[in-house]
Amino acid sequence: MRTPSRPRRRVSALLAALALLAATTLAACGGEPADARGDDAPLRIGYQRFGGLSLVKARGAAKNVTWSLFESGPALTEALKAGSIDIGQTGEAPPVFAAAGKIPFSVVGTSQPIPQGEAVLVKADSPYRSFADLRGRTVALNKGSNVHWLLVKLLEANKMTLADVNVKYLKPAEGRPAFDNGQVDAWIIWDPYFALAERPGVRVLADATGLAGNREYVLAAPDAVKNRTDDVRAFLDAYRQTTDWGIAHPDERAAVLAPELNIPLDVTTRALARSAKPLAPVTPEIGTELQAIADSFVGLKLVPGPVDIAGRVDGRFNEAFR
């Protein structure tokens, strides 16, 4: 049996460590609601590796906050359910799954679309030339994450159904070794895991362009929105200013984030070039967009319905994103 290369071992160890850290962080976070902790208590921020909140953390741009790292959006929304965080950032599908699970939160911000930031990966020497070629094959993805919606749209675009592929639900730390070892035929994944997997021998079969917006969504716990409105607004303003700084200074942004993420500078730079987009206010159109996603998931029986996600869009903080 061939011994895995050192870079592959390093990436696998990194992903495994991230999964352990996410689980440990969630277990360690307090579940006390914002109003019970007092007005001067730190805001508890849930972030994912690489997202705009990582840059806020790395630059120390927000005061009086604590940080909890999560491997994926579904894990982060579970922290909202547990009352362990006040604010968090996810992709487009996790809010829908969370709303279907009756988790309380408001959608208080979003981003410009990021369709190039998620993709279907296959081995370079595979026979697959389009997503339709994966009919009858095994496709791995993280259940309830942004890539779940991309799968739905890819199936729709290719006149396929969920019955036409064998879907294997794997977290990023599980999906990478399964893909590397040939246990799945394709892996649908987002940045920075996408960028980490890009190497000789791997080919991008499709990304979300023309299919899914892959926006970032900012979620807030009801207690924080109601009882700490000014603190939330101040944090979101710092978030937007830091994001704008990063877009205006891409080289400095990559240099700050690479050590924070423990990812090589060239990988960080490549991922940021396609996946770092400006934040944006939530509008009725954003609510309509999210509701269409929810209705599709309900129609496919992937979540129990009905789900009113449009009703969770809260524009009271929109000025922070303009």
Side-chain angles (χ1 to χ4, degrees), residues 15-37:
L15 291 171
L18 177 62
L20 178 61
L21 176 60
T24 303
T25 300
L26 179 56
C29 288
E32 200 173 15
D35 55 346
R37 293 184 301 116

Side-chain angles (χ1 to χ4, degrees), residues 247-269:
I247 290 169
H249 302 86
D251 293 338
E252 294 96 325
R253 175 183 60 189
V256 168
L257 272 180
E260 169 72 21
L261 303 173
N262 196 22
I263 293 175
L265 180 60
D266 63 323
V267 175
T268 304
T269 301

Side-chain angles (χ1 to χ4, degrees), residues 18-159:
L18 177 62
L20 178 61
L21 176 60
T24 303
T25 300
L26 179 56
C29 288
E32 200 173 15
D35 55 346
R37 293 184 301 116
D39 292 342
D40 58 347
L43 277 179
R44 301 164 302 171
I45 311 302
Y47 74 107
Q48 294 185 64
R49 193 173 184 228
F50 179 77
L53 290 178
S54 290
L55 186 60
V56 178
K57 178 179 181 293
R59 297 196 79 213
K63 307 305 179 186
N64 197 30
V65 299
T66 59
W67 297 91
S68 298
L69 175 63
F70 299 92
E71 185 185 17
S72 65
L76 188 148
T77 58
E78 282 299 309
L80 280 171
K81 179 179 181 179
S84 300
I85 60 173
D86 300 311
I87 297 172
Q89 159 263 325
T90 76
E92 57 204 345
V96 170
F97 277 73
K102 311 303 181 186
I103 296 175
F105 66 88
S106 297
V107 182
V108 299
T110 187
S111 74
Q112 297 298 324
I114 317 169
Q116 297 86 5
E118 58 180 354
V120 183
L121 303 182
V122 296
K123 295 295 181 62
D125 59 359
S126 73
Y128 315 122
R129 292 294 177 266
S130 72
F131 187 82
D133 294 334
L134 291 172
R135 189 182 300 269
R137 302 297 182 177
T138 301
V139 178
L141 59 101
N142 193 84
K143 184 176 183 179
S145 288
N146 53 341
V147 290
H148 209 155
W149 177 236
L150 176 56
L151 171 66
V152 170
K153 298 304 290 183
L154 283 163
L155 292 170
E156 179 183 290
N158 288 276
K159 296 180 172 53

Side-chain angles (χ1 to χ4, degrees), residues 289-301:
E289 188 174 308
L290 273 172
Q291 191 61 53
I293 296 172
D295 293 345
S296 291
F297 277 125
V298 170
L300 292 168
K301 299 187 181 341

Side-chain angles (χ1 to χ4, degrees), residues 190-258:
W190 64 90
D191 275 323
Y193 307 105
F194 170 17
L196 281 165
E198 283 183 291
R199 64 186 192 282
V202 173
R203 176 162 42 87
V204 176
L205 189 67
D207 64 23
T209 301
L211 297 171
N214 190 34
R215 296 180 190 269
E216 177 179 309
Y217 287 94
V218 184
L219 312 182
D223 285 333
V225 170
K226 178 182 177 182
N227 299 311
R228 302 194 60 182
T229 308
D230 291 342
D231 292 335
V232 171
R233 183 177 291 109
F235 175 79
L236 296 177
D237 190 60
Y239 183 14
R240 192 264 305 160
Q241 290 184 43
T242 303
T243 300
D244 290 348
W245 173 88
I247 290 169
H249 302 86
D251 293 338
E252 294 96 325
R253 175 183 60 189
V256 168
L257 272 180

